């Protein structure tokens, strides 16, 4: 018998359980927001909003808006504040 390969795990094994995965636009918004938590809330939200405006595709922005409007579980409050600043 061969032994199982150790070391690498699938994303599912490292992350959330099946069925509770975070949507990609929510995960990305949270990753960006995490970089600005050291700033005060207003400056952090403005920086996140600027990043989203500069680098995200319109389709992703709309998905993020919909998630924020639906009070998506797991969406960082700083990301929610940033969405409110988007044009």
């Amino acid at each position: 018998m061969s032994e199982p390969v150790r070391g690498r795990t699938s994303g599912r094994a490292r992350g959330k359980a099946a069925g509770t995965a975070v949507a990609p636009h929510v995960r990305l918004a949270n990753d960006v927001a995490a970089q600005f938590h050291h700033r005060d809330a207003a400056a952090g939200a403005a920086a996140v909003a600027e990043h989203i405006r500069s680098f995200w595709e319109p389709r992703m922005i709309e998905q993020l808006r919909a998630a924020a409007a639906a009070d998506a579980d797991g969406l960082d409050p700083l990301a929610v504040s940033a969405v409110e600043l988007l044009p």
Side-chain angles (χ1 to χ4, degrees):
M1 283 207 268
S2 65
E3 292 204 20
V5 176
R6 299 198 192 286
R8 296 194 125 206
T9 59
S10 70
R12 183 168 287 159
R14 284 177 293 178
K16 301 210 175 232
T20 60
V22 175
H25 52 279
V26 171
R27 181 183 52 79
L28 290 171
N30 288 346
D31 288 349
V32 173
Q35 302 304 313
F36 296 102
H37 275 284
H38 67 281
R39 296 187 179 182
D40 66 78
V48 173
E50 179 60 29
H51 174 88
I52 290 169
R53 260 193 309 271
S54 297
F55 299 107
W56 286 35
E57 295 178 1
R59 173 184 50 90
M60 291 176 62
I61 294 172
E62 289 309 312
Q63 290 172 334
L64 183 60
R65 283 184 204 277
D71 294 327
D73 286 340
L75 187 57
D76 189 299
L78 191 58
V80 174
S81 296
V83 169
E84 294 170 359
L85 298 175
L86 294 171

